[in-house]
Amino acid sequence: TVRFHKERGKAASGGYDRTVRLWDLEKATQLTRFQGHEASVTCLAYNAPGNLIVSGGKDGTVRFWDAVSGLAVHSAGGLGDVTSVDVATSGVHLLTASKGNATRLWDLRKSPSCPRSVSAASHVPP
């Protein structure tokens, strides 16, 4: 999986080697290699400023990486195979999806270890 940051000239990639890599597109070089997933990395997202990368994996974890320092910030597990992550433009919310129709909404201003489950049936468009 690959995710480009629109303004910073950076890209993040993840895959079967269980790592997330941060790339400098202008110099065509790897900046950082994040390790921590115990299975394939399936999805990635940046926050708007580009200083936080969120990854999800088949190991059932969502991991938060500081793109500036290269450090792991936080991780949360027990989610099932994570298939999608996305950070809202405001940077306040993260939405994750896992196999088995588990969708979680995270308030990043609070502890990232306490997501709220979102039921697809709880909202029916007009």
Side-chain angles (χ1 to χ4, degrees), residues 7-30:
E7 299 170 6
R8 293 193 58 146
K10 306 276 190 292
S13 66
Y16 291 111
D17 68 352
R18 305 181 314 235
T19 66
V20 174
R21 297 170 191 258
L22 182 62
W23 303 91
D24 182 315
L25 299 176
E26 187 174 306
K27 296 177 184 175
T29 58
Q30 178 181 301

Side-chain angles (χ1 to χ4, degrees), residues 100-118:
N101 292 328
T103 304
R104 292 173 178 87
L105 180 65
W106 310 62
D107 186 336
L108 298 178
R109 298 169 296 187
K110 300 178 181 177
S111 172
S113 59
C114 301
R116 184 178 69 177
S117 291
V118 178

